[in-house]
């Protein structure tokens, strides 16, 4: 654990901040969910490599600013962006996100932050929908604060727990526990992706049958 995180603090801050920002601004969340970066930032803080409060502020700020950039992208390029061919395989989930936004309004911005796909596309969808920016910003900031604080603190707690387990039962057992947790997270992500593919299949079946 120490070896993995034994890099200059500035690079840890920069990497975590950029990943969280890019997830919402340019759809990097399709590849690397922002909560992964936030959790790793918390783990780094638990090991004393970075300051916890600085990491929380950084993640929250990156989330809010990234969403704001995504909003502007959607506002100015929404129709062309949503019609892009590289989004075809996600069309079912995009429809679900648009429906969710239509039904929940500003709360879709807040609630969408806790689902990887929605978090990546919601800012652009909101911008394309022409929701007033002050309204978007209020829900965006609320969601960014709750989401950023939660996942950084989770990483911090997980990092401290690792050290306690390592001291009690040894490094090998601690690593085994980490592996189990990682496998559980992978299974959860696979189930989330499978659900997304199911929605996409239903979308294509419906539209191909017309």
């Amino acid at each position: 654990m120490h070896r993995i995180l034994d890099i200059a603090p500035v690079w840890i801050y920069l990497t975590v901040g950029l990943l969280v920002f890019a997830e919402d601004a340019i759809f990097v969340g399709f590849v690397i969910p922002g909560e992964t970066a936030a959790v790793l930032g918390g783990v780094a803080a638990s090991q004393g490599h970075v300051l916890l409060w600085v990491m929380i502020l950084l993640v929250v700020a990156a989330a809010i600013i990234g969403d704001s950039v995504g909003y502007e992208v959607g506002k100015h390029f929404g129709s062309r962006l949503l019609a892009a061919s590289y989004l075809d395989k996600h069309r079912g989930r995009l429809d679900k996100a648009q429906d969710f936004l239509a039904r929940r309004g500003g709360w879709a911005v807040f609630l969408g932050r806790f689902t990887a796909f929605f978090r990546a596309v919601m800012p652009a969808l909101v911008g394309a929908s022409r929701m007033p920016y002050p309204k978007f910003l209020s829900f965006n900031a609320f969601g960014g604060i709750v989401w950023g604080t939660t996942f950084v603190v989770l990483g911090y707690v997980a990092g401290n727990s690792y050290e306690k387990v390592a001291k009690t039962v040894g490094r090998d057992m601690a690593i085994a526990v980490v592996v189990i947790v990682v496998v559980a997270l992978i299974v959860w992500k696979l189930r989330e992706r499978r659900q997304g593919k199911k929605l996409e299949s239903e979308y294509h079946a419906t539209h191909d049958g017309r």
Side-chain angles (χ1 to χ4, degrees):
M1 182 75 74
H2 285 289
R3 291 177 182 176
I4 295 174
L5 296 172
D6 193 18
I7 59 177
V10 64
W11 289 110
I12 297 177
Y13 287 129
L14 185 62
T15 301
V16 172
L18 283 176
L19 285 174
V20 173
F21 168 83
E23 176 185 41
D24 305 325
I26 55 176
F27 294 179
V28 171
F30 287 149
V31 181
I32 303 176
E35 69 256 19
T36 301
V39 168
L40 287 176
V43 172
S46 75
Q47 305 301 307
H49 294 283
V50 295
L51 296 174
L52 177 62
W53 69 270
V54 174
M55 183 58 69
I56 291 174
L57 287 178
L58 174 68
V59 168
V60 169
I64 294 172
I65 296 171
D67 271 8
S68 294
V69 172
Y71 172 92
E72 291 298 327
V73 170
K75 181 178 179 180
H76 295 287
F77 307 103
S79 57
R80 280 181 287 173
L81 182 67
L82 295 176
S85 59
Y86 72 89
L87 288 177
D88 285 347
K89 62 181 180 179
H90 302 292
R91 199 61 61 187
R93 284 189 287 177
L94 274 173
D95 281 358
K96 184 178 180 182
Q98 288 176 307
D99 178 66
F100 186 52
L101 176 60
R103 288 187 291 107
R104 296 298 183 91
W107 282 106
V109 177
F110 173 79
L111 296 172
R113 174 153 287 285
F114 296 90
T115 301
F117 181 81
F118 281 12
R119 187 167 58 249
V121 302
M122 191 60 73
L125 292 178
V126 175
S129 75
R130 300 294 176 174
M131 178 187 291
Y133 180 72
K135 179 179 180 180
F136 165 77
L137 180 60
S138 62
F139 285 98
N140 173 34
F142 182 31
I145 291 169
V146 174
W147 176 85
T149 302
T150 298
F151 280 98
V152 173
V153 171
L154 279 175
Y156 184 83
V157 172
N160 281 331
S161 297
Y162 170 85
E163 288 301 316
K164 290 178 181 178
V165 172
K167 290 177 181 178
T168 303
V169 299
R171 294 279 171 183
D172 291 341
M173 182 61 71
I175 292 173
V177 171
V178 171
V179 170
I180 292 172
V181 172
V182 170
V183 170
L185 286 172
I186 291 173
V187 171
W188 174 59
K189 285 295 181 183
L190 287 175
R191 290 185 64 182
E192 186 180 69
R193 181 170 295 183
R194 192 178 299 118
Q195 179 63 24
K197 288 182 178 179
K198 180 181 178 182
L199 288 171
E200 289 155 14
S201 297
E202 292 174 353
Y203 171 87
H204 289 300
T206 300
H207 286 72
D208 291 344
R210 290 180 179 177

